[in-house]
Amino acid sequence: MARRDNNRKVFEVDFDSDFDDYRGGYVRMDDVNSDTNEPPASLEVAEHERDDGQDSRLRCDFKGLLSGLRRRPGLFWIAVTIVTQAGQLILFAKTSSVLTLPQATFVRGLSLIPMVFFISWEKSKGYGWAEMAIFISAGFCDNLTYVCGGAAAMYVWTGDVAVIQFNTPLPGVLLAWLLFKEKLRPIDLVLILVNACGLVIVSQPSFLFPVDKPVVTSDSHHALGILLAFGGMTFSLTATLCARALPYRSAEDPYLFLTCTGIFGLFLSCAISFISEPWTLPATLNQWLMVLALIFFVIVGLFSYIKSLETESVMTVTVLVTLSMLLTTIFDFIFEGRHADFLSLCGVAVILGSTFSLFLKDLVFNDSEEEAED
């Protein structure tokens, strides 16, 4: 059937049966047989070729995946956050004998103060009191997360602290669904619960798994450690929700968040130092290098975390970031001589499987929704 379009006669062709990748198109009437009014025997579509076979479909799927990743820069920042948070966990453990908790908090806060030079204060006048309250609350809660976690590790095993503080995806997703109307599907809850089980298996908390080491704290101190760990989880969740609620009016917003975090870190460390032991400086070059590396990971880690929450949902960020704990476990297996028992390997597999499934599911649903909108 022929029709006119913009004074040019074209032949309408249904590609649905002949071409897998096209659903409609037009051919110039010059190429149509004028006697039979039929399209040519061989249709050539500009800039498109028909590829048959599974290899072509795989290439299309891979290109679609790359296209989805390019449309979501937040995934890159999540990957940076995973690596830098793992580096922080490793270096915090390495420098625990060199830096006390108030010292580490002070170093962490001091390293973030230079971010103030990246802020244009004229633009900041556009923020209202409510928005500035979000920045201040996020910085304050971020510091309290670290302090509570470090204090809890003094009374309970590190695995206990980790399994409590890292299990923020489930409450975070529920609160994001209530506060920000983020989408929540039943499969999301299932994958989050599976991920939480993997964290428990890898961390092997003492209240679920027997430990070989004797308990060095009393029951009251152990309860205090658990309470501090839950406090750290609460502050971490609050900081994440505040970061998600930031206005993100310009590229300077992450720097303002880091500045607020640094200022409160200095105040908090100074307050704790009044009731703690005297400070001591690192004694060797190796210790200084580890402290400098820790400063680098703190700056990059917090910046990338804020950038990831700028475009990605709380569910995607909190679940994928749990891979940082997995990286620290692998580091212990390779460099620290930790025994790779079967139970730990099962936990690693569960975390990887649930996280990878959530990642693919998130990409598929986002792509299908974008296609539906188009």
Side-chain angles (χ1 to χ4, degrees), residues 106-174:
F106 180 84
V107 170
R108 189 171 181 268
L110 185 63
S111 64
L112 299 175
I113 294 300
M115 298 298 106
V116 70
F117 296 107
F118 295 92
I119 301 174
S120 175
W121 292 103
E122 288 78 10
K123 291 183 179 181
S124 67
K125 294 179 181 179
Y127 295 125
W129 284 105
E131 294 170 343
M132 287 304 301
I134 295 176
F135 279 103
I136 295 172
S137 300
F140 186 69
C141 291
D142 182 80
N143 282 285
L144 288 178
T145 299
Y146 173 68
V147 171
C148 288
M154 299 177 183
Y155 302 107
V156 296
W157 303 117
T158 306
D160 297 10
V161 180
V163 77
I164 293 174
Q165 289 207 180
F166 271 88
N167 269 310
T168 57
L170 183 58
V173 167
L174 294 177

Side-chain angles (χ1 to χ4, degrees), residues 128-363:
W129 284 105
E131 294 170 343
M132 287 304 301
I134 295 176
F135 279 103
I136 295 172
S137 300
F140 186 69
C141 291
D142 182 80
N143 282 285
L144 288 178
T145 299
Y146 173 68
V147 171
C148 288
M154 299 177 183
Y155 302 107
V156 296
W157 303 117
T158 306
D160 297 10
V161 180
V163 77
I164 293 174
Q165 289 207 180
F166 271 88
N167 269 310
T168 57
L170 183 58
V173 167
L174 294 177
L175 288 175
W177 175 63
L178 291 173
L179 298 176
F180 308 128
K181 307 303 180 183
E182 292 188 356
K183 295 179 180 179
L184 180 62
R185 303 178 179 88
I187 186 62
D188 297 332
L189 294 177
V190 173
L191 292 175
I192 290 172
L193 290 174
V194 173
N195 183 270
C197 292
L199 288 175
V200 172
I201 296 173
V202 170
S203 303
Q204 297 184 11
S206 59
F207 52 82
L208 293 178
F209 299 87
V211 294
D212 298 330
K213 298 179 182 179
V215 179
V216 294
T217 59
S218 62
D219 292 338
S220 59
H221 285 170
H222 187 271
L224 176 61
I226 296 296
L227 183 62
L228 286 170
F230 273 104
M233 183 196 71
T234 303
F235 287 122
S236 175
L237 184 59
T238 305
T240 299
L241 294 175
C242 287
R244 188 71 177 95
L246 290 178
Y248 292 109
R249 293 182 176 178
S250 68
E252 300 175 356
D253 287 5
Y255 299 110
L256 183 56
F257 169 82
L258 296 182
T259 301
C260 293
T261 303
I263 292 173
F264 278 103
L266 294 180
F267 281 127
L268 194 59
S269 61
C270 291
I272 298 176
S273 64
F274 284 110
I275 57 175
S276 62
E277 64 275 8
W279 289 11
T280 58
L281 294 176
T284 64
L285 177 61
N286 187 39
Q287 292 175 348
W288 276 109
L289 290 176
M290 285 193 295
V291 172
L292 292 176
L294 178 60
I295 291 174
F296 172 78
F297 280 123
V298 165
I299 296 175
V300 178
L302 280 176
F303 181 85
S304 59
Y305 190 66
I306 300 303
K307 291 293 291 183
S308 63
L309 285 169
E310 182 177 350
T311 55
E312 296 295 330
S313 66
V314 172
M315 177 188 66
T316 302
V317 175
T318 53
V319 173
L320 292 181
V321 167
T322 57
L323 290 177
S324 59
M325 185 177 174
L326 180 61
L327 291 182
T328 60
T329 304
I330 295 175
F331 178 87
D332 291 340
F333 288 154
I334 298 175
F335 298 102
E336 299 296 330
R338 177 179 173 180
H339 178 61
D341 57 282
F342 177 75
L343 195 60
S344 298
L345 293 178
C346 288
V348 169
V350 169
I351 293 176
L352 283 177
S354 60
T355 305
F356 188 66
S357 300
L358 183 67
F359 174 70
L360 289 181
K361 188 269 322 171
D362 198 33
L363 282 181

